[in-house]
Amino acid sequence: MKRTYCPIRFWFVFAGIMCLKSISASDRNYPSLIPMPQQITWNNELFVLDEPVQIILPEGLNTAVSDKFYSFFPRIAKGKSKQIAEIQISKNIPQGPNSSEAYQLQISKDSLLLIASSDTAVFRAIQTIRQLQTGNALAGCLISDWPAFSVRGFMQDTGRNFMSLGLLKEQIDVMATYKFNYFHWHFTDNPGWRLESKKYPQLKEPSSMSRWPGKYYTQEDFLSILNYCAERFITVVPELDVPGHCEAFRKAFAIDSMSDNRVKPILLDLIDELCGLASKETMPFIHLGTDEVWHQHERPEAGLLSTLIERVHQHGRETIVWRPGQQIDGDNSSITQLWSSAGQPKAGHRYLDSRLNYLNHLDPLQGVAQLYFDRIGGASHGDSLCLGGVLCCWNDNNLTHEREVLRQNPIYPGMLVYSESAWRGNDLDTGTDYLAILPQQGTEAMNRFRDFEMRLCEHRDRYFQNKPFPYVANAHIPWKWIGPFDHQGNTSMQFPVEDSIQPSYKINGKEYRWSENSLYGGTIHLNHFFGFPSPVNEKSGTVYASTMVFSPREQTVGCWIGFHDWSRSGGRRGGPSPEQGQWHTTNAKVWINNKELAPPKWMNPALPAQSEEIPFVDENYCHRPATTILLKKGWNRILVKVPQGGTSWKWMFSFLPVREENGAVKEVEGLIFSAE
């Protein structure tokens, strides 16, 4: 009997398992797919890969695509065979609005038939086929698939922190696997203008760079990335960010202000040079920035930006600009890329949504949920104006090593959840309700998220064994909370909760009771720093939260514990780092079975917020060794004290037992959580 994919139904089957054991592919009776196709039906058949296969391909199929298809089949039949794998190109297959990437896939025990609208669609389908493989077989199914949004992008900032071609290609490979199609490459910023210019070689001089001096991309490097992306059907969108973010540019030419009359001819030459590197078909977009012009010396002369846009158009390219950004007179055609809550579409202009997806602001645990519930453009699918979105990583702070960008930001978990949103779309319109907190257990929203979380962790274990992937299943962890108690500006003030757990407390004539509904997750935002709906309305005070953990035996386990998530943006965003002996500057505490747990010994204690040139080393839980905790056999009470006040920006806490294995983090087996 055929079984159609249904996340709610499968949730009921697996809900109990989630709390009892770590997640593995064996917990599910079908392969875990990300992004989930638009339509899928399983048939319980297997197409065995180590038997001879007759392959039938259409004439003119892209060689790189056909090679990837052949790679699935170790034994190719020279003539007819019991098993047939065939690709057809057809413009008439049932498809969604983005027809150039639509495909149908039918797999049974004897045949694999892929009908696709284009070579691009074949490549996207191959990514699904790869995930359908378990051992020596492909799971039988019928898939009809297409992307909800035409643009599914990822942006990496190499202007502030240079990254080698190898690291960029690693990220591009993940993009390709999860059906991204735009690589937004931000390679100019205040610390360095990192694209070589033959006409203006001074741009690559170490003296012009304040960070990673002398590190830049040759024009050959640029072309290698362009070609690498093209082979994976990804379009590169290069960004020359002007007139703000141009400190390195000004240094290179000894120019004090972007209103200097030398600026325009130089920038026009640089646009000409960039457009001369690749055809308009290969590189159809040029991003001109235009955002964050904060200072007088960054303000351009009148008409500069209009002139730059016109030059881009003369080369047959389209322009993309940030919004909010500089007002550009006469601009009636640019694509606007929205950032920050102030970013709103410009009437009649196509747009890309990057407003709530800055990975450098996201805690790895709660950030995945935020990306999952935040609908791109506020819609389930794109249209003629809403083209899609671009997931962004702005690691403003200096890095000790290029790979720290992957350890300090949830890049790979973020890519996977964004892939689900951008390809499949999200028809669950919950507004901003779950951008800071998870839904209640048993609701459709929570069922869907927990199904995705299971798939996410399976992909972590299967495909990211040697890559940083800071995510562990946590949506099942319940917390009761009480407060906030008025600490009168003294975050060290103690309250009776620390002495004993009682149903209620009466302090200064006011009664406090534990919450009726639990909060869920390994990270809890009590009052979200961007103003999303949160459980606490007050801006300061002391909250206590409690959960119970059942351990089948006495054991020591690792644990992610934190009381802040310092954004990797503009210094230690959110205030100074704690002093020795503190979990956080707010004097937060954690007890396990009534025993207070000591904080880590910090490598860089008491650093001021504005210290972006001093790299992060152990501030956030995901990029330091997990704290060791002792769990007794049976039930263990976890109590956390979470004050807010002073210079702290984020009112939050994280607590999640984790198992570290060969540098990776996974779930601790056998633990059960309860709020009571």
Side-chain angles (χ1 to χ4, degrees):
M1 181 178 179
K2 293 184 177 180
R3 293 173 293 113
T4 302
Y5 168 75
C6 177
I8 299 175
R9 187 184 68 195
F10 280 112
W11 154 245
F12 286 109
V13 176
F14 295 110
I17 296 174
M18 278 291 294
C19 297
L20 297 174
K21 56 189 281 190
S22 64
I23 299 170
S24 67
S26 63
D27 291 335
R28 308 170 66 91
N29 57 0
Y30 58 87
S32 173
L33 305 182
I34 298 177
M36 184 60 71
Q38 300 293 347
Q39 299 172 6
I40 181 169
T41 302
W42 304 95
N43 59 27
N44 291 326
E45 297 186 10
L46 293 175
F47 185 95
V48 180
L49 295 172
D50 56 8
E51 293 184 4
V53 177
Q54 179 186 356
I55 295 181
I56 303 173
L57 302 180
E59 292 185 5
L61 183 66
N62 180 288
T63 302
V65 171
S66 61
D67 287 346
K68 289 183 182 298
F69 190 69
Y70 271 110
S71 69
F72 286 108
F73 311 104
R75 300 179 64 188
I76 310 299
K78 295 183 179 179
K80 291 186 177 180
S81 173
K82 182 180 74 172
Q83 292 191 146
I84 298 174
E86 181 178 2
I87 295 177
Q88 298 177 5
I89 301 295
S90 172
K91 302 298 183 184
N92 299 317
I93 64 173
Q95 53 199 11
N98 300 306
S99 59
S100 65
E101 296 180 281
Y103 68 91
Q104 282 190 326
L105 180 63
Q106 182 175 338
I107 300 176
S108 66
K109 63 181 181 355
D110 295 323
S111 67
L112 184 158
L113 176 61
L114 169 57
I115 306 174
S117 60
S118 65
D119 288 1
T120 303
V122 173
F123 184 83
R124 305 292 183 236
I126 285 174
Q127 310 315 311
T128 301
I129 295 172
R130 186 175 76 93
Q131 295 181 21
L132 289 169
Q133 182 176 352
T134 301
N136 70 335
L138 300 175
C141 58
L142 175 62
I143 290 174
S144 184
D145 203 12
W146 61 87
F149 294 91
S150 62
V151 174
R152 306 172 303 281
F154 173 66
M155 189 234 69
Q156 187 56 275
D157 173 8
T158 62
R160 291 181 174 88
N161 287 287
F162 180 85
M163 297 176 200
S164 66
L165 297 186
L167 183 58
L168 289 178
K169 289 178 179 179
E170 176 186 314
Q171 295 169 80
I172 291 165
D173 284 340
V174 175
M175 291 175 61
T177 298
Y178 292 95
K179 302 180 182 176
F180 284 75
N181 63 352
Y182 274 61
F183 176 46
H184 176 173
W185 193 1
H186 179 93
F187 48 61
T188 70
D189 212 291
N190 288 328
W193 185 286
R194 303 204 188 273
L195 179 61
E196 175 193 32
S197 167
K198 302 289 188 183
K199 185 165 186 178
Y200 299 107
Q202 57 267 52
L203 281 168
K204 63 180 175 61
E205 290 300 314
S207 59
S208 71
M209 302 179 185
S210 60
R211 196 184 288 173
W212 301 78
K215 292 289 187 179
Y216 66 94
Y217 303 100
T218 67
Q219 293 186 359
E220 290 74 18
D221 292 336
F222 177 80
L223 290 174
S224 74
I225 292 295
L226 205 67
N227 293 331
Y228 197 80
C229 285
E231 291 171 357
R232 289 152 180 80
F233 297 89
I234 294 172
T235 298
V236 174
V237 180
E239 181 181 358
L240 306 180
D241 197 357
V242 297
H245 299 274
C246 277
E247 181 181 324
F249 175 89
R250 297 195 308 273
K251 282 183 179 179
F253 297 102
I255 291 174
D256 293 330
S257 170
M258 293 301 288
S259 63
D260 191 295
N261 59 17
R262 291 174 291 170
V263 168
K264 182 189 293 185
I266 294 173
L267 290 178
L268 290 173
D269 285 343
L270 291 171
I271 289 173
D272 293 343
E273 193 171 16
L274 176 59
C275 292
L277 294 177
S279 68
K280 62 184 180 182
E281 291 76 20
T282 302
M283 190 173 67
F285 305 100
I286 303 295
H287 202 305
L288 292 177
T290 79
D291 64 314
E292 295 188 318
V293 177
W294 305 129
H295 308 289
Q296 187 63 39
H297 61 264
E298 295 172 321
R299 299 191 180 281
E301 67 172 322
L304 172 65
L305 297 177
S306 299
T307 302
L308 298 183
I309 285 180
E310 178 59 28
R311 181 59 61 90
V312 171
H313 292 170
Q314 289 172 7
H315 286 283
R317 323 299 167 108
E318 294 200 73
T319 53
I320 304 175
V321 295
W322 291 107
R323 184 174 174 89
Q326 290 286 285
Q327 178 67 33
I328 305 173
D329 295 334
D331 175 23
N332 56 13
S333 63
S334 66
I335 299 169
T336 53
Q337 187 168 350
L338 311 180
W339 72 280
S340 87
S341 58
Q344 297 299 320
K346 189 175 181 180
H349 284 236
R350 293 162 295 163
Y351 67 92
L352 302 168
D353 193 355
S354 294
R355 286 174 289 190
L356 299 181
N357 62 21
Y358 279 19
L359 293 167
N360 49 291
H361 273 311
L362 299 184
D363 165 87
L365 300 178
Q366 193 274 333
V368 163
Q370 179 179 318
L371 290 173
Y372 182 84
F373 287 108
D374 174 38
R375 303 206 302 171
I376 296 171
S380 61
H381 58 273
D383 55 33
S384 60
L385 293 180
C386 179
L387 303 181
V390 181
L391 178 69
C392 298
C393 182
W394 301 100
N395 199 105
D396 290 3
N397 291 72
N398 198 2
L399 296 172
T400 55
H401 185 275
E402 61 174 15
R403 291 193 67 81
E404 287 296 297
V405 73
L406 301 175
R407 291 206 320 122
Q408 296 180 15
N409 301 280
I411 289 178
Y412 290 146
M415 279 189 183
L416 271 61
V417 66
Y418 204 71
S419 163
E420 182 92 353
S421 298
W423 178 275
R424 181 175 172 82
N426 185 352
D427 63 357
L428 191 64
D429 185 5
T430 57
T432 60
D433 289 352
Y434 305 129
L435 299 185
I437 58 174
L438 284 170
Q440 289 296 299
Q441 298 291 344
T443 61
E444 181 182 4
M446 185 58 125
N447 293 343
R448 288 195 189 188
F449 178 73
R450 288 189 64 169
D451 174 86
F452 174 77
E453 183 180 64
M454 292 165 70
R455 289 185 279 132
L456 179 68
C457 292
E458 289 174 19
H459 276 243
R460 175 201 66 200
D461 295 344
R462 186 174 181 185
Y463 303 116
F464 292 86
Q465 295 180 4
N466 299 310
K467 298 181 179 70
F469 199 97
Y471 192 83
V472 174
N474 66 98
H476 57 289
I477 299 178
W479 296 89
K480 291 295 186 183
W481 61 279
I482 191 169
F485 298 92
D486 183 7
H487 57 50
Q488 302 173 31
N490 176 13
T491 57
S492 295
M493 183 177 290
Q494 296 181 351
F495 295 93
V497 184
E498 299 178 31
D499 299 322
S500 65
I501 302 297
Q502 301 295 331
S504 65
Y505 303 87
K506 201 164 193 177
I507 300 175
N508 295 328
K510 181 177 180 180
E511 187 175 35
Y512 296 85
R513 289 187 171 273
W514 293 90
S515 58
E516 293 184 3
N517 292 325
S518 295
L519 299 171
Y520 290 92
T523 289
I524 302 295
H525 282 280
L526 296 167
N527 184 296
H528 197 274
F529 55 99
F530 282 151
F532 303 146
S534 308
V536 175
N537 295 321
E538 292 85 349
K539 298 302 181 182
S540 65
T542 296
V543 168
Y544 294 86
S546 175
T547 192
M548 301 293 291
V549 184
F550 178 86
S551 175
R553 63 186 182 278
E554 182 176 300
Q555 60 179 322
T556 57
V557 300
C559 196
W560 277 351
I561 302 174
F563 291 90
H564 200 74
D565 178 68
W566 277 268
S567 296
R568 290 68 61 195
S569 173
R572 278 159 176 74
R573 188 75 176 271
S577 57
E579 297 180 359
Q580 296 293 11
Q582 291 182 311
W583 279 102
H584 182 40
T585 58
T586 57
N587 297 301
K589 295 182 182 294
V590 55
W591 293 269
I592 300 177
N593 297 322
N594 299 317
K595 184 176 181 180
E596 184 176 346
L597 189 65
K601 185 175 181 180
W602 305 111
M603 297 178 69
N604 286 324
L607 287 176
Q610 296 303 315
S611 52
E612 57 267 18
E613 295 310 313
I614 301 175
F616 282 91
V617 284
D618 63 352
E619 286 84 345
N620 292 332
Y621 64 78
C622 66
H623 58 263
R624 65 173 181 261
T627 300
T628 299
I629 64 172
L630 174 64
L631 296 177
K632 67 182 183 182
K633 182 178 180 179
W635 288 101
N636 299 261
R637 179 177 292 280
I638 311 301
L639 178 68
V640 295
K641 177 182 182 179
V642 198
Q644 175 70 347
T647 58
S648 184
W649 183 34
K650 300 178 181 179
W651 196 354
M652 60 182 291
F653 70 91
S654 300
F655 185 97
L656 178 63
V658 297
R659 173 169 57 95
E660 295 182 309
E661 182 179 291
N662 299 323
V665 288
K666 299 183 180 182
E667 294 72 24
V668 178
E669 296 183 358
L671 300 184
I672 303 174
F673 291 83
S674 173
E676 302 299 335

